[in-house]
Amino acid sequence: MALKDILPGQLGFGAAPLGNMFRDIPEDEALATVEAAWNDGIRYYDNAPFYGAGLAEIRMGEALKDKPRADYVISTKVGRVILDEVEDISARDLGEKAGVFQYGRANKIVNDYTADATLRSIEDSLKRLQTDHIDIAFVHDLAQDFWGDHWLEKFEEARTGAFRVLDRLRDEGVIKAWGLGVNRVEPIETLLALDEPRPDAFLLAGRYTLLDHDKALQRVMPTVTERGLGIVVGGPYSSGALVGGPNFEYAPATPAILDKVARIKAIADRYSISMKAAGLQFALANPAVAAVIPGASRPGRIAEDSAALSETIPADFWRELRQAGLVHPDAPLPV
């Protein structure tokens, strides 16, 4: 089944902030944010055990437990098992994501892409999410930003473990789709080059945004489109940098990135266009993209995202971005 046929709309909810990403978010605020998304008509929710060591799934499960399960779609990740025992959060080796969830739970995180761990991960997620099924499973962080030079070893572990399990679960109808949930293009490219297994979709975070899209555009998007697969764009605001935040790729934005943001914003301001609208509509213009999932940790952010999707952007805005070299010459633009 095509990803666009599974997802209930182009705007989803990215749950990473519910895991206390970058700050200690009060419980009532986290639950109110999910409720605001529901009230705004959002029916696709993406999660992961990694987000706060299970905290984001627990909170989402609590927020959605009384909603009709047939009315919404959940994706979550495999590749990490959360234990009951605790560990020193500051001592975790999280690659380029160090410190992102320092305010999450202290439960021990075990990285494991084997078949048994994949099944356990799904079983544990179902309990935390208080549901009897998930719709989409993404194999999480199987990339250089987490594993460095060892990422291909981990990819091979997943190829003989997680990939085969998820292929079977999809064929049996237990899940509707599976793929990779990564922040890098290379793992998707590698998986697409294999004869088997047969992924359906990918969650690509931060690599198809207004600020960073060249590599994905050239190396992944055409193949995904040709095969009728789909991409969910995570981090469409580039960790907040696009909309005035201090971070890009989970770290303080560089002067070069801040300069690019300023140049885009100068053009957007002339046309009275919000940066959120520019970011979301750019990502969705690519035929490979089925949905965008900006993260939100405050209820008020949800309405902004919805409004950004329907904001009218004149063609001249996109033309100016192209002429200024701020978008790739081959990037599809909204019409």
Side-chain angles (χ1 to χ4, degrees):
M1 188 185 298
L3 183 60
K4 288 182 180 180
D5 295 329
I6 296 172
L7 298 181
Q10 290 186 312
L11 182 63
F13 181 94
L18 298 184
N20 282 351
M21 188 179 190
F22 296 125
R23 70 185 181 96
D24 193 354
I25 299 166
E27 188 78 5
D28 57 350
E29 187 176 336
L31 298 182
T33 303
V34 181
E35 187 67 20
W38 181 272
N39 292 338
D40 209 78
I42 291 174
R43 295 294 182 269
Y44 169 41
Y45 300 87
D46 175 69
N47 219 310
F50 180 61
Y51 303 156
L55 180 60
E57 287 187 322
I58 290 169
R59 285 173 161 176
M60 182 171 286
E62 192 61 29
L64 295 178
K65 67 180 181 181
D66 295 324
K67 311 296 187 193
R69 183 61 185 89
D71 289 358
Y72 61 94
V73 168
I74 285 182
S75 59
T76 194
K77 320 289 193 314
V78 300
R80 295 186 173 100
V81 175
I82 312 300
L83 305 184
D84 289 333
E85 66 183 273
V86 298
E87 62 183 350
D88 178 1
I89 292 179
S90 65
R92 287 173 179 159
D93 181 5
L94 303 179
E96 294 177 18
K97 294 183 178 179
V100 174
F101 293 106
Q102 63 179 309
Y103 300 105
R105 299 199 309 162
N107 292 63
K108 187 172 184 178
I109 299 173
V110 177
N111 301 292
D112 194 333
Y113 297 97
T114 62
D116 287 347
T118 299
L119 292 169
R120 177 173 173 184
S121 178
I122 291 174
E123 188 178 315
D124 291 348
S125 287
L126 293 177
K127 291 174 186 171
R128 289 189 291 265
L129 290 164
Q130 299 188 49
T131 186
D132 62 354
H133 71 282
I134 60 167
D135 302 280
I136 305 167
F138 292 117
V139 184
H140 205 190
D141 282 340
L142 200 56
Q144 306 95 310
D145 61 323
F146 193 84
W147 292 106
D149 293 339
H150 300 290
W151 81 271
L152 283 170
E153 296 168 28
K154 291 298 174 181
F155 189 95
E156 181 61 17
E157 181 182 299
R159 187 188 69 78
T160 57
F163 296 175
R164 290 176 180 172
V165 166
L166 296 175
D167 244 3
R168 175 172 60 80
L169 293 179
R170 188 267 325 282
D171 292 347
E172 292 173 353
V174 176
I175 58 176
K176 294 175 183 173
W178 76 272
L180 300 181
V182 289
N183 293 67
R184 291 291 183 270
V185 170
E186 291 82 1
I188 296 177
E189 199 175 17
T190 303
L191 182 51
L192 287 171
L194 299 178
D195 291 332
E196 59 165 347
R198 310 178 316 282
D200 312 277
F202 303 98
L203 197 168
L204 182 57
R207 297 285 74 78
Y208 198 76
T209 71
L210 257 183
L211 297 181
D212 183 353
H213 55 267
D214 291 14
K215 189 182 285 189
L217 181 70
Q218 297 170 71
R219 292 165 59 173
V220 164
M221 304 312 237
T223 308
V224 169
T225 304
E226 285 163 17
R227 296 194 190 175
L229 308 176
I231 284 187
V232 174
V233 169
Y237 306 139
S238 295
S239 292
L242 184 67
V243 292
N247 294 316
F248 175 81
E249 197 72 358
Y250 310 109
T254 64
I257 289 293
L258 295 175
D259 177 65
K260 188 171 186 179
V261 172
R263 292 172 66 201
I264 295 171
K265 191 171 189 312
I267 299 172
D269 286 349
R270 281 211 314 279
Y271 286 93
S272 299
I273 292 162
S274 74
M275 293 290 275
K276 282 193 168 187
L280 296 187
Q281 293 187 34
F282 170 79
L284 287 167
N286 193 299
V289 176
V292 290
I293 50 166
S297 61
R298 292 182 171 90
R301 298 282 189 257
I302 304 295
E304 293 175 12
D305 294 332
S306 288
L309 264 192
S310 55
E311 197 173 308
T312 300
I313 300 180
D316 284 348
F317 167 75
W318 300 112
R319 205 171 294 120
E320 277 203 45
L321 286 191
R322 184 96 85 194
Q323 288 168 350
L326 292 166
V327 293
H328 191 280
D330 298 330
L333 297 176
V335 292

